[in-house]
Structures are given as C-alpha cells and as structure tokens.
Amino acid sequence: MVGKKKVSCLMALFMSLSFLGGCKNLTDSQSKTILKDKKVINIGISQFVEHPALDSARKGFIDALKSKGYEENKNIKIDFQNAQGDMANTQTIAQNFASSRQDLIFAIATPSAQAAFNVAKKTPILITAVTDPLKSGLVKSLEKPETNVTGTSDNVPIDKQFELIKNLIPKAKNIGIVYNTSEKNSELQVKMAKEEGSKMGFTVKEAGVTNVNEVSQSLNSLFGKIDVLYVPTDNTMASSMPLVINECYKRKIPVIGAESAHVKAGAVATNGIDYYKLGFQTGIMAVEVINGKKVEDMPIETSKDMSIVINEDAVKKLNIDMPKDIENKAKKVTGGVQ
C-alpha cells in the first residue's frame, strides 16, 4: 500500500513537472509574439533633454512606427517624459516606466539609456543618440548585445568632419571643442578628435563645461587660440547653439557641427548624421521587436545615411569659398545666423 502511494506521488510529481515544462515552452514561444498580439502596446519614451536633434530623433521613431501601422490612440500608447537635462530625473522616469510595466522603452541619449537599463532589466529597451553603447555598459558587444538593449548609435566619423574642415578652412591648424565633461559620449568624441587631429596635422584644444551656464566662459578661454570650433554630438552644446554661433561669428571663427541640426542652427557645415533618420531607423528596429525579434540578438546599428549639409547664410557671413565639388553634392539650409 505504501509502495503504491509512492508510485502515485512520483507519477503526480512527474506529470506536474511535465506540465510546468510545457507551460515554460509555451511562455517562451509566446514571448516572441506577445507585443504584436496586444490590442494596445504601451511605449515609454525617456528623453534626456529637449533640443532639435533629440526632438527629431523622437519624431523619426514615432513616424517609423506609424509607417508600419502602429499609431497613437489606435494600437500604441506613448508616455513621453523629458528629464530636462537632470540625471536624477532620468532615474525617476526609468523607475516610473518599470513600475507601470511599459511594454517597450525608447531611451534617447546616453543618460536616459543608462537609467532605463539600470532599472528595467526585462523590458525591451531601444536606444538612440548613444555614442558608445558598449563603453556605456548597455551591451556586451555591438554585434550581439546579449542584454535587453539594442538600437542605434550616433557615433560620427571624426575623420570625415576634419576632412571637411581642411576643404572649407584650409588655413586652419587649431580646432577647439567645448563639451560637457559629465557626458561619456562627449568624452569619447574628444578622445577620437585628438587622435584623428594628430593624424591630420591639427591641434585640438578642449574646454569642458558641466552646464549651459559655463559655455560662454569656456568659449572665451579658447578664443585667440583656435581657427575653427567643432561641436560634437553633446546635449549641452546642442542646447547652447545660438550662443555658440553668436560668439564665434562675432570673431569670424567658423563652426563645424557633428550633425545636421547644428547646421540648421547656424554652423557652417557638417558631414554627419540626421537625427530624424536615425530615430526612424530605431523605430523600424522597434517594430521588429514588437513582431518577435529578440533584442539580445539585434546588433547596434549606426546611421545608414551620412550627408554633407551647408548653411548658406553662414558661408556668406564668414566669406567662405565653398569648393564646387562640395557645394554640388551638399544639402543646403539657411537660418540661425544673425
């Protein structure tokens, strides 16, 4: 009698384990389609600060979703939160997204991406405007993240930007860079600029800031020592472009930007990225995640569309002799120059 009871118990245990195993397999298979099958997908968007470049990335992301049939108030619900450039706010936003169980998080800029990753370990996180996701601790490799993070990097080829400087301002020898010392992506760009500058015969002179209120003073510390100012993809500098343009052009110092929004704000030119297109590219990746693609297997992507953009007003104001080969293939914009 006791033996029969043991057999019965063992059989019951075996059946229970088999059932649970089956449930696990079912859960694993369903996890690929759970977002696509939901009537409404909740997407949290965390943006470090509002300025034209990051705003464009957000718009591109939303437009990409729409192009694939995912629209606000139809089958997606977007909770947009702006950290206003405050690191502490990025943590609060991330915690709110985690507690409200967003189905997917779109993090714009490195601080927002890091905050989301630190809190939401199981939620798919799509990132953009992050220069180096690997050194920022968001992925294990760019080719295969092996975390819940993927998306796009805004890393720009410094050599292309410096070649542009050689062509537009051939007498330039000293390049100034002002950047926020607390932004890891900016530190990386300064390091790359110094390395590339030494190869191309430039001397790179840097000045660090911690907030927009220090930009004017840092610029003044460089004036008289530089021939051109290069603006990296730095959130503090992006927010300070009107000041940068005004102060530099009063002294006839050309400004070269890392991306098209800088040029629209008054920089002379860039051979860089368009943040709207980068955001759109990330949005297409988000759709792939919604349709079941595993985030941990999706490589970090970079911009698929680099282009030269020139500001005709800036060129005219600084009397720059634009080479015909550059002028013929460049996109032209105006504005931002007083």
Side-chain angles (χ1 to χ4, degrees):
M1 187 75 176
V2 174
K4 287 184 178 180
K5 284 185 177 179
K6 285 184 177 179
V7 171
S8 298
C9 288
L10 287 170
M11 288 182 68
L13 179 61
F14 177 76
M15 291 177 68
S16 297
L17 291 172
S18 298
F19 175 75
L20 290 172
C23 288
K24 183 181 184 302
N25 290 335
L26 182 63
T27 302
D28 287 345
S29 64
Q30 284 181 337
S31 67
K32 296 181 181 180
T33 57
I34 188 170
L35 293 184
K36 183 175 69 173
D37 291 345
K38 291 191 67 173
K39 289 184 178 179
V40 177
I41 300 168
N42 295 297
I43 301 176
I45 298 181
S46 175
Q47 184 171 319
F48 181 55
V49 65
E50 286 187 287
H51 59 65
L54 301 190
D55 293 346
S56 294
R58 184 179 78 246
K59 186 177 188 306
F61 180 83
I62 295 171
D63 285 352
L65 291 173
K66 187 176 180 179
S67 74
K68 296 297 182 180
Y70 294 97
E71 297 183 50
E72 178 80 277
N73 299 321
K74 180 180 176 183
N75 49 10
I76 61 171
K77 182 179 179 181
I78 294 176
D79 183 359
F80 168 61
Q81 299 290 327
N82 169 29
Q84 299 177 336
D86 189 310
M87 299 291 186
N89 286 346
T90 64
Q91 296 293 332
T92 300
I93 292 169
Q95 288 166 356
N96 288 341
F97 284 169
S99 61
S100 62
R101 298 185 179 181
Q102 298 291 319
D103 297 309
L104 185 147
I105 294 173
F106 177 43
I108 309 174
T110 302
S112 292
Q114 289 175 318
F117 177 64
N118 290 338
V119 176
K121 292 295 186 180
K122 295 182 179 180
T123 306
I125 300 172
L126 275 295
I127 63 171
T128 197
V130 177
T131 300
D132 194 330
L134 181 60
K135 289 187 178 180
S136 297
L138 300 170
V139 297
K140 293 184 179 179
S141 81
L142 299 180
E143 295 75 23
K144 189 175 182 180
E146 294 186 50
T147 66
N148 61 320
V149 176
T150 191
T152 58
S153 164
D154 63 355
N155 194 7
V156 297
I158 297 291
D159 59 331
K160 299 294 184 184
Q161 307 286 11
F162 282 10
E163 282 178 13
L164 191 62
I165 291 175
K166 275 188 174 295
N167 289 324
L168 298 183
I169 310 106
K171 293 183 179 180
K173 297 296 181 184
N174 300 300
I175 300 174
I177 300 181
V178 179
Y179 71 104
N180 190 324
T181 55
S182 65
E183 290 194 32
K184 290 185 180 297
N185 62 313
S186 300
E187 290 182 345
L188 174 66
Q189 290 175 85
V190 171
K191 181 181 178 182
M192 291 190 299
K194 286 183 173 180
E195 292 173 353
E196 197 60 44
S198 65
K199 295 177 186 177
M200 301 180 69
F202 291 122
T203 298
V204 175
K205 299 180 182 294
E206 63 182 283
V209 300
T210 59
N211 57 64
V212 294
N213 296 324
E214 298 175 2
V215 173
S216 180
Q217 182 178 352
S218 291
L219 282 172
N220 283 325
S221 72
L222 292 176
F223 291 147
K225 304 174 185 177
I226 62 173
D227 305 305
V228 58
L229 183 78
Y230 175 68
V231 180
T233 55
D234 179 290
N235 292 300
T236 300
M237 295 307 293
S239 300
S240 306
M241 282 304 290
L243 169 67
V244 171
I245 297 301
N246 185 51
E247 293 299 312
C248 285
Y249 289 5
K250 281 195 299 187
R251 297 166 176 82
K252 302 296 182 182
I253 296 175
V255 176
I256 299 296
E259 47 97 6
S260 59
H262 292 162
V263 183
K264 292 174 184 175
V268 172
T270 188
N271 187 356
I273 60 176
D274 184 315
Y275 274 89
Y276 173 84
K277 293 179 180 179
L278 196 68
F280 194 97
Q281 191 173 327
T282 317
I284 296 299
M285 295 178 73
V287 172
E288 292 178 341
V289 172
I290 290 171
N291 288 334
K293 199 164 184 179
K294 291 184 177 180
V295 173
E296 60 266 29
D297 296 333
M298 298 174 65
I300 296 292
E301 298 182 5
T302 53
S303 177
K304 296 177 180 177
D305 187 7
M306 305 291 291
S307 58
I308 295 176
V309 184
I310 60 174
N311 187 310
E312 293 182 309
D313 291 340
V315 169
K316 183 177 179 180
K317 185 175 182 66
L318 297 173
N319 296 316
I320 292 175
D321 186 14
M322 183 66 59
K324 288 296 180 183
D325 60 329
I326 293 178
E327 186 175 13
N328 290 337
K329 62 184 177 182
K331 176 184 176 182
K332 299 174 180 62
V333 299
T334 58
V337 180
Q338 297 180 359

